Amino acid sequence: MKKILAMILALALAVTAFACAAPAAEPAATEAPAAEAAATEAPTEAVVEEGFHPASEVTLNFPCIWVGTDSKAAVFGEMVAAFNDEYAGRAKVVIEEQTDYQAYRDKIRTMISAGQAPDLFSVDGTFKLADLADSGKLMDFAPYLDGTDWGATYTEGALSDATLDGKIYAIPFESAVFGIYYNSELLANAGYTEFPTTYDDMFAMADALKAQGVIAFPLMTGENAWTSMLWYSQILLAIGGPDVYKNGLDDPAFVQAADVLKKMFDYTSSDAVGAGAAVVNGHFLNFEAAVYTNGPWFLPRFAKEGINDLGSKVKFALPPEYTGGMGTYGGLAGTVQAYLCAGTQTDADKAAAVVEFYKFINQPEWLYQLAESSGAMFFVKLDSNPNDIQIKQDLLAAANSAPYIVKHFNDSMPTAVGNAFPAALDELVLGTVDAQGFVDLLKAAGE
Amino acid sequence: MKPTKKDRLGMALFMTPALVLFVLFFIIPVGYVLVVSLFKWNGMTAATFVGMKNYVTIWKDPVFRRSVINNVLWALVASCVQVPLSVLMALILNRKPRGWKFFRTVYFFPQVISGVALAMLWSAMYNSEYGLINGILRAIGRGDLAINWLGTLNTALPALLIYWVFYIGYYMVIVMSDLSGVDKDFYEAAEIDGASKIQQAWFISLPMIKSSVLTCMTLAAVLGLRQFEQVYLLTNGGPANRTSTMVLYLYKQIQNTRYGPANAASVMLICVGVIVILGIRALFKLGRSSRN
């Protein structure tokens, strides 16, 4: 009996010790029944009447990521304060500060699955619009955007891209396009005054840079392999054109693009495998690397953090063309950085307050300030801002004249495929698989 | 003495609060993990019952199998290399050589530093471009040996394990506290009988501290099996998932919003943990019975 008791105790202790090993999974476990319950409730929409005159002050809860040290925090805080002033006695937005992106995503998922979607919240590209729609817990903005003055403020195609079965559960807010940025001084030292327009010429330039001891392309496979993923997206568009994602990973362009990306690793730093964003950024900001890609939010950092007056030496370039490819020169990869969402509202006043707030923060005067302070771009149509740095103006001009802007690889693929990209890239770069094997690994991740 | 009915009632009363907390915060969550592991669920829409499919899926995944192997390796290295090193250092410092307090503090110091800071430090040391290790190699004219330690298939896992093994302070302090309770008379008697210091350590100290060594080995194995922070920060499981661990695997499944496989991985982690801990306990029991 004692032995049995001792065995049970030992087992219980061992189980206890390892139960602590999976803290992240526990909330998931507790959420499952709630998700089922949530799915059975039918969403109810309220209709907003003309003007905004609630019976009493409406309070909107906003778990918000644009706080703390976020580059948009200061201006966004001012925007919320201004809204609360202007709508005093009618509506009040209460910010719940969230400083960690992953924790924020988990929180939003948990709240939606529990049928308690926040009044206001934002989601990024890791959320799939279909999942948001299927949850049945989000407010449909189509009645407020379709054919309205508010809807007309958005750029071409922005709202239609966010529409599913005639409903808009996520309002496109922050966008980004990805240009190529080069250190003109390092290129000049290698004999180049302009950035090449084809991949063949770009590799010839990379040879010249390598001969000078310069890292041509700072690349990474660590973290989410961000800059490498952006290059892969650009190469894919150059080879397969804007419809490259329509056939999924079966399109031969994915294999061809993998070969080109692998070749780029011949001209990168020795720490590229396993490197994170800090390493890549460091190489470019410290005048060690010549060609870089990232979103518009990074542009102010060239001047702020670069050495040797880097800010004045970085120039914008369009992604090169691929000889024989289906892409058009000038086509760009882009992304939706943030959508604005709201939980389903049964109270008409609350629904109206949500709309008022989202209209308020999408006013151009606020968006200009946000753009200046953070480098962000938005889906609301804005005139070019003379206060922007030159390189940002160049990027905006390129975006405005782009024959197409297509979501980058991670946004265009299922989440699991995007998350498998870094490990598959490791295999490709380290030579354990070829380009076809790389694509096969991505396919396997998506199954 | 056999406990009376009153004693039993008292014992039950004292145990109840802890038992309630244990059930609420461990047994029920573990039960939920088990239940969710049988469902397909993305965290937002309705969950679908799939039975054992999640277990089959993750077991077919070579990354998961590699994660299990890596975890067992972590546990073995922690309990069979790190703990013996800690015991050795404790035995040396227990002799109170000159500067022993200084060394005790130095060895324990990393335990009070954030694991994130240590990981960043080692990440910088291992960096192939500007890292200290490659810098030393280049300085002594062996730049040919300078490699990307965390980015090369054959060196990434050993690099992580070596970094981890160095931090022996935690177990060393546990063993030292047990050693301080060993009666000095044993050593004096052994001295008179002509036993060397090594013989004293082997035949007196080690048998007397066996229970704390078992505790350290169990703790080390548990921490090895739960390994996440260092791997996540230094390699994120790379290169090519070669350093992945089970907790990192389930974390990535959660990132993929595949909560079923993530919870199945949690259950597997619990199973592997139970096997390893029972294995360690059996090993010590075997040693005891073979001497008897």
Side-chain angles (χ1 to χ4, degrees), chain A residues 25-40:
Chain A
E26 283 167 13
T30 57
E31 289 150 20
E36 285 174 329
T40 60

Side-chain angles (χ1 to χ4, degrees), chain A residues 401-440:
Chain A
S401 58
Y404 50 79
I405 297 174
V406 178
K407 283 182 185 176
H408 61 59
F409 177 80
N410 276 9
D411 270 6
S412 302
M413 286 283 142
T415 308
V417 175
N419 287 343
F421 181 82
L425 185 58
D426 275 338
E427 303 269 13
L428 176 72
V429 174
L430 293 170
T432 51
V433 297
D434 59 9
Q436 182 61 55
F438 165 80
V439 174
D440 290 343

